[in-house]
Amino acid sequence: MYLFTSEVVSPGHPDKCADIIADSIVDEILIHDANGRVASEVFVAGKNIVIGGEINSTHTLSHADYRQIALKALANIGYDGKSAFTHEQCLHPDDVEVAVHINQQSPDINQGVDQASGEIGAGDQGIMFGFASCEADEYMPAAITYARRICDKVYSYAKAHPDELGVDIKTQVTIDYGTKENFEECRPQSIHTIVVSAPCVESMDIERLRELVQGLIDNSALPANLYHKDKTIIYINPTGRYVNHSSLHDSGLTGRKLIVDSFGGYAPIGGGAQSSKDYTKVDRSGLYAARYIAKNIVAAGLAKKCIVQLSYAIGVARPTSVSVDTMGTHIASVDDDKLSNFVMQHFPLTPKWITDKFKLASPSRESFLYADVAARGQVGQADYPWEKLDSVELFKSLIK
């Protein structure tokens, strides 16, 4: 055996609640002011929500506005007061207290970001990593792909049946590659272990809960060549009781689920979170660009997997470095040096270029909402603009 594991959490996890509330604020600002600058953090603990950070915008929000944004986000997640769980077992909106501590963005930062030429300087220094793999249709690693599918299935059921399940859900999938060589060559052999933890109402016995969740796992569109129900080790609520959940029994903080949000531990991640930040913050836009390039390289057949690293200096538009690492899986005629130089020549990768390419200044229900991205993961969803495969032919031009 050669095993690798990734975990996923649902939007109802307290950390995800914090991310979703933070990105609901980003959406609210940018929908009304495309030039708004946002870097707000959210802390959720017990019945308390604390919103802090810095915002510059022509669209001003009152304390009542922030409270309404937070409560609406919680209701969309599933904390709408309609569940069968008591006020002691999970968060109810009537109990929530919201504190707001928002400052103006420092003019020292702003003078480097909004440049007279119309260019946008990076909102901070930092490093970002994008990754892609041929292991699954989503060009994502296998473990996080299938953990997400299971989590999405259980979460959807929980939202539709609040009299049975709560929305604070965790899943975990272990892939057996058989050998290290198979791991390096992106050849998963089987799903070795599945773990699901889903809160259920006190009246539901553990046998019923496990039967219910097992059925949801079986209907999660797991590949038939990898998932073998009789062979896969499956743990469903392994402690035997999971009733108390939400921020009443945990705490949540913006940016604490970076591995869940990205590549499940298969690849390096940058030093900063994406949620809570506007598009000038390269922690966000740089990740999207790096993922886009890595995905198009793999989809073009130039490598089985690919890491793209970008780095930026605050107030400087062009990245300070660009590197491509195909981890030894590139085709013979196109090596990492050639790929790195090709990317630098053909992709400006300035915050303005990334913003215009993916329409990051214009979140909407018709394109994407940052709150939805926070809920579903920053990468790996085919409907995100940065997941498009519209540079495949350009990369294929490298093949002689």
Side-chain angles (χ1 to χ4, degrees), residues 19 22-23 26 38-42 254 273-278 284:
D19 286 339
D23 273 344
V26 175
V38 188
S40 61
E41 310 292 337
V42 174
T254 310
Q274 289 73 54
S275 289
S276 83
K277 299 171 182 174
D278 69 77
R284 163 159 258 156

Side-chain angles (χ1 to χ4, degrees), residues 148-222:
R148 277 184 179 176
R149 289 187 192 177
I150 297 168
C151 192
D152 289 348
K153 195 74 175 179
V154 179
Y155 174 65
S156 294
Y157 185 92
K159 283 196 73 176
H161 299 84
D163 56 326
E164 296 181 63
L165 299 184
V167 294
D168 185 357
I169 297 157
K170 283 188 174 184
T171 62
Q172 187 170 283
V173 167
T174 300
I175 297 291
D176 183 7
Y177 289 85
T179 65
K180 178 67 179 301
E181 180 183 4
N182 284 338
F183 175 77
E184 293 174 344
E185 293 295 319
C186 304
R187 294 191 295 256
Q189 302 297 298
S190 66
I191 295 176
H192 182 274
T193 302
I194 293 171
V195 182
V196 178
S197 293
C200 66
V201 293
E202 200 154 15
S203 59
M204 182 181 290
D205 63 52
I206 189 63
E207 290 77 15
R208 165 63 185 139
L209 181 279
R210 287 174 174 160
E211 179 185 8
L212 168 62
V213 173
Q214 180 66 62
L216 296 171
I217 293 171
D218 294 342
N219 288 293
S220 296
L222 302 177

Side-chain angles (χ1 to χ4, degrees), residues 24 95 99 102 184 190 263 268 290 301 398:
S24 296
D95 300 329
I102 294 292
E184 293 174 344
S190 66
F263 308 105
L398 278 167

Side-chain angles (χ1 to χ4, degrees), residues 94-400:
D94 294 345
D95 300 329
V96 172
E97 298 290 337
V98 178
V100 180
H101 305 279
I102 294 292
N103 303 308
Q104 293 286 304
Q105 184 184 62
S106 167
D108 296 342
I109 296 175
N110 188 63
Q111 68 180 351
V113 173
D114 298 310
Q115 301 178 1
S117 65
E119 187 55 85
I120 298 174
D124 202 350
Q125 70 178 47
I127 59 172
M128 303 87 220
F129 292 92
F131 179 74
S133 165
C134 65
E135 288 186 3
D137 293 341
E138 295 86 343
Y139 292 97
M140 290 283 286
I144 191 169
T145 297
Y146 306 134
R148 277 184 179 176
R149 289 187 192 177
I150 297 168
C151 192
D152 289 348
K153 195 74 175 179
V154 179
Y155 174 65
S156 294
Y157 185 92
K159 283 196 73 176
H161 299 84
D163 56 326
E164 296 181 63
L165 299 184
V167 294
D168 185 357
I169 297 157
K170 283 188 174 184
T171 62
Q172 187 170 283
V173 167
T174 300
I175 297 291
D176 183 7
Y177 289 85
T179 65
K180 178 67 179 301
E181 180 183 4
N182 284 338
F183 175 77
E184 293 174 344
E185 293 295 319
C186 304
R187 294 191 295 256
Q189 302 297 298
S190 66
I191 295 176
H192 182 274
T193 302
I194 293 171
V195 182
V196 178
S197 293
C200 66
V201 293
E202 200 154 15
S203 59
M204 182 181 290
D205 63 52
I206 189 63
E207 290 77 15
R208 165 63 185 139
L209 181 279
R210 287 174 174 160
E211 179 185 8
L212 168 62
V213 173
Q214 180 66 62
L216 296 171
I217 293 171
D218 294 342
N219 288 293
S220 296
L222 302 177
N225 64 317
L226 298 180
Y227 174 55
H228 308 287
K229 180 178 178 180
D230 296 333
K231 295 181 180 179
T232 299
I233 300 168
I234 300 175
Y235 296 110
I236 299 171
N237 286 24
T239 65
R241 173 185 165 85
Y242 181 21
V243 175
N244 298 310
H245 63 285
S246 80
S247 62
L248 293 188
H249 305 279
D250 195 356
S251 63
L253 185 64
T254 310
R256 204 157 57 181
K257 286 291 177 283
L258 298 187
I259 297 292
V260 168
D261 269 345
S262 55
F263 308 105
Y266 272 76
I269 59 170
Q274 289 73 54
S275 289
S276 83
K277 299 171 182 174
D278 69 77
Y279 52 85
T280 67
K281 312 301 190 293
V282 283
D283 286 325
R284 163 159 258 156
S285 51
L287 168 68
Y288 299 163
R291 161 64 178 172
Y292 169 78
I293 291 168
K295 184 178 180 181
N296 276 266
I297 287 172
V298 174
L302 303 184
K304 294 179 180 177
K305 54 185 173 181
C306 179
I307 298 171
V308 174
Q309 191 210 44
L310 306 178
S311 69
Y312 291 86
I314 189 168
V316 179
R318 294 283 300 207
T320 54
S321 69
V322 178
S323 69
V324 176
D325 178 5
T326 58
M327 307 166 80
T329 68
H330 61 78
I331 62 175
S333 61
V334 182
D335 61 17
D336 293 348
D337 290 341
K338 185 177 288 189
L339 283 167
S340 297
N341 288 322
F342 188 84
V343 170
M344 286 188 282
Q345 291 167 9
H346 290 84
F347 298 89
L349 296 173
T350 65
K352 181 173 175 24
W353 180 88
I354 300 169
T355 298
D356 292 344
K357 172 72 176 173
F358 304 131
K359 306 295 190 291
L360 299 185
S362 307
S364 70
R365 295 193 181 280
E366 292 69 39
S367 56
F368 73 94
L369 290 171
Y370 287 111
D372 180 57
V373 173
R376 299 168 65 203
Q378 298 290 329
V379 294
Q381 305 290 354
D383 55 325
Y384 295 170
W386 48 95
E387 295 287 327
K388 291 181 179 178
L389 294 173
D390 55 5
S391 287
V392 167
E393 294 305 316
L394 177 60
F395 279 109
K396 282 185 176 180
S397 69
L398 278 167
I399 301 173
K400 299 293 175 90

